[in-house]
């Protein structure tokens, strides 16, 4: 029985992805993450996730061409970024620009939404530091173009591969908070733009997609390998949570963390990262795992996707305040696929509340 109405239990049938928290396994449309990340580009995973969800099937080459055109098209909206918008944090400024795009359920809307965060985030970041936005190059892949629009020069092969690995790794992840938000909005038939805007709003909180910036803040505050253990102990004594650790579903290591750690290797091997930071991060990870085991023996807490996201996006020269926006660039494809699945196969999502307040006094 389909349960996309969510009246009785909080669960929804989906053919898109499966998160096995006990085994530490993520499957995206029948393919395990470790296999997918080793060979797929962003365009490949977009074709995989959107297969059967839009009115017209697209192969990876078609999608690359259409997505390049969509990036060129949405770039014309960058001129509407005024001073008030540019004073917002990057993810909010990006969301405000997306909010100006038309709504709809069709392929054009989906492509525009896949392109929009990829174009708006680099443009906002450049405008915020007083630089001119760089126009997209439609012939590039999505990952190469994002990096070119960010830096103004063509990225290296290793950088493109690392960003593809990141975008593939975070493309979809079951019924997380932002995906749920996307499905709730889609279930009212409001349109894909509305679904994506709701999802970005849910994503930006520090308990979901807002954690990787604070991971770098934590590494900076710790400073040296020798300071890791006392710093982490003090943080836990103050009742703080260690950013980049713990997960609602995983009771073992988040498989996405290792996918990203692996994706960093070519950058490390070619000297395109700050090696001191990587060494510090590894020491902090070991110290955090040890202290979490000791302090929370009943709750398995391991490293999550955000820890290595922070290191990878930092190596690709995204500023830390933009990390949540980069997460949105990759997750938009999952949000769109879920929104379409909900609209095509589901019902209005309307969970019942359980009233626990006072009852009217009997007369
Ligand atoms: N550091 C220290 N203690 C923790 C942490 C942490 N990172 N995470 C959970 N705990 C403790 C928590 O204090 C609680 O202890 P106690 O029972 O003694 O009060 C216990 O573990 C259970 O916590 P919970 O709040 O019931 O766990 P949750 O499933 O609601 O939390 C979480 C999941 C991701 C919000 C949490 O682990 C957290 O806040 N982590 C830090 C922020 C972070 O890294 N977020 C990114 C998540 S991954 C991205 C994604 O997939 O969306």
């Amino acid at each position: 029985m389909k349960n996309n109405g969510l009246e009785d239990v909080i669960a929804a049938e989906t053919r898109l992805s499966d998160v096995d928290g006990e085994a530490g396994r993520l499957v995206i449309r029948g393919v395990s993450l470790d296999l997918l990340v080793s060979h797929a580009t962003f365009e490949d995973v977009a074709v995989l996730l959107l297969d059967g969800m839009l009115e017209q099937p697209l192969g990876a080459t078609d999608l690359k061409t259409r997505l390049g055109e969509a990036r060129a098209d949405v770039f014309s909206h960058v001129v509407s970024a005024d001073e008030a918008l540019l004073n917002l944090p990057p993810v909010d400024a990006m969301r405000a620009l997306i909010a100006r795009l038309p709504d709809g359920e069709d392929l054009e809307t989906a492509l525009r939404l896949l392109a929009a965060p990829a174009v708006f985030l680099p443009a906002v970041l450049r405008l915020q530091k007083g630089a001119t936005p760089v126009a997209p190059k439609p012939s590039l892949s999505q990952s190469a173009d994002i990096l070119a629009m960010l830096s103004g020069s063509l990225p290296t092969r290793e950088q493109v591969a690392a960003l593809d690995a990141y975008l593939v790794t975070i493309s979809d992840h079951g019924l997380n908070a932002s995906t749920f938000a996307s499905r709730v909005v889609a279930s009212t038939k409001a349109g894909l733009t509305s679904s994506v805007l709701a999802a970005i709003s849910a994503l930006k909180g520090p308990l979901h997609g807002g954690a990787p910036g604070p991971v770098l803040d934590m590494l900076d505050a710790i400073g040296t390998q020798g300071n890791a253990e006392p710093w982490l102990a003090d943080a836990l004594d103050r009742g703080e949570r260690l950013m980049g650790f713990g997960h609602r579903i995983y009771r073992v290591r988040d498989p996405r963390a290792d996918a990203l750690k692996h994706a960093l290797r070519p950058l490390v091997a070619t000297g395109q990262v700050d090696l001191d930071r990587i060494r510090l991060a590894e020491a902090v990870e070991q110290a955090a795992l040890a202290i979490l085991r000791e302090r929370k023996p009943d709750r398995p807490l391991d490293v999550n996707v955000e820890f290595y996201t922070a290191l990878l996006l930092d190596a690709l020269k995204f500023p830390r305040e933009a990390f949540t926006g980069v997460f949105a660039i990759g997750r938009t494809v999952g949000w769109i696929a879920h929104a379409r699945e909900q609209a095509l196969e589901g019902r209005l999502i309307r969970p019942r509340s359980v009233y626990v307040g006072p009852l009217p006094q009997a007369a």
Side-chain angles (χ1 to χ4, degrees):
M1 189 194 76
K2 291 227 171 299
N3 196 25
N4 288 352
L6 290 171
E7 275 89 353
D8 300 312
V9 292
I10 302 296
E13 284 185 4
T14 180
R15 287 178 281 122
L16 295 169
S17 62
D18 183 45
V19 182
D20 182 338
E22 301 298 327
R25 197 187 60 209
L26 169 61
V27 170
I28 297 179
R29 295 208 93 167
V31 188
S32 72
L33 174 67
D34 37 348
L35 185 62
L36 200 57
V37 77
S38 66
H39 71 272
T41 62
F42 172 77
E43 283 79 2
D44 295 327
V45 85
V47 167
L48 187 66
L49 278 165
L50 296 175
D51 182 31
M53 299 296 166
L54 298 165
E55 72 264 24
Q56 182 188 328
L58 281 178
T61 314
D62 272 357
L63 185 109
K64 181 169 179 266
T65 308
R66 301 281 299 268
L67 196 51
E69 290 162 4
R71 286 196 303 275
D73 175 40
V74 296
F75 185 69
S76 61
H77 292 265
V78 167
V79 288
S80 69
D82 59 16
E83 199 186 327
L85 185 139
L86 293 173
N87 282 331
L88 297 171
V91 69
D92 292 343
M94 183 190 88
R95 181 182 55 179
L97 285 168
I98 295 172
R100 304 187 59 132
L101 299 177
D103 220 330
E105 293 275 356
D106 57 351
L107 176 62
E108 289 305 314
T109 309
L111 288 167
R112 205 164 35 235
L113 288 167
L114 287 180
V119 170
F120 292 155
L121 187 71
V124 162
L125 293 171
R126 289 184 70 89
L127 287 165
Q128 285 180 332
K129 59 178 194 186
T132 310
V134 173
K137 292 179 189 58
S139 62
L140 293 180
S141 71
Q142 176 103 330
S143 293
D145 211 8
I146 292 166
L147 293 169
M149 287 186 278
L150 181 72
S151 71
S153 53
L154 282 180
T156 65
R157 200 157 39 103
E158 293 80 15
Q159 288 171 325
V160 176
L163 185 56
D164 263 324
Y166 173 71
L167 298 177
V168 168
T169 297
I170 53 108
S171 59
D172 200 39
H173 199 238
L175 202 58
N176 58 84
S178 57
T179 300
F180 184 51
S182 170
R183 287 192 85 116
V184 169
V185 174
S187 83
T188 73
K189 312 273 186 215
L192 290 173
T193 310
S194 299
S195 279
V196 167
L197 289 167
I200 294 172
S201 306
L203 179 78
K204 68 175 223 173
L207 300 190
H208 187 6
V215 167
L216 278 196
D217 295 340
M218 176 177 77
L219 294 179
D220 284 349
I222 292 172
T224 60
Q225 296 186 28
N227 194 32
E229 200 274 325
W231 192 96
L232 295 167
D234 283 352
L236 290 176
D237 288 344
R238 290 192 299 270
E240 292 173 11
R241 290 180 175 213
L242 306 182
M243 290 291 137
F245 295 87
H247 199 272
R248 174 61 61 86
I249 306 290
Y250 292 117
R251 290 293 163 265
V252 293
R253 209 173 158 82
D254 181 337
R256 299 169 301 171
D258 284 332
L260 298 184
K261 189 174 183 178
H262 191 78
L264 265 166
R265 282 192 195 143
L267 293 172
V268 172
T270 50
Q272 298 181 64
V273 287
D274 175 354
L275 277 179
D276 288 342
R277 173 158 274 163
I278 302 285
R279 286 195 196 103
L280 174 64
E282 283 171 350
V284 169
E285 180 186 353
Q286 292 317 314
L289 293 177
I291 198 166
L292 286 170
R293 261 195 304 273
E294 181 193 311
R295 299 280 186 103
K296 308 273 176 189
D298 301 328
R299 170 82 175 186
L301 292 167
D302 213 315
V303 71
N304 66 44
V305 66
E306 304 293 31
F307 194 77
Y308 281 97
T309 289
L311 298 174
L312 188 91
L313 297 186
D314 184 53
L316 293 176
K317 313 238 175 338
F318 287 98
R320 68 188 70 185
E321 64 277 11
F323 288 177
T324 311
V326 192
F327 194 156
I329 294 176
R331 185 55 65 80
T332 299
V333 66
W335 294 331
I336 292 173
H338 276 270
R340 287 298 299 149
E341 188 181 47
Q342 183 67 37
L344 289 169
E345 300 172 14
R347 301 171 66 200
L348 176 73
I349 294 177
R350 204 318 186 177
R352 280 175 220 268
S353 51
V354 178
Y355 180 68
V356 295
L359 294 170
Q361 298 292 325

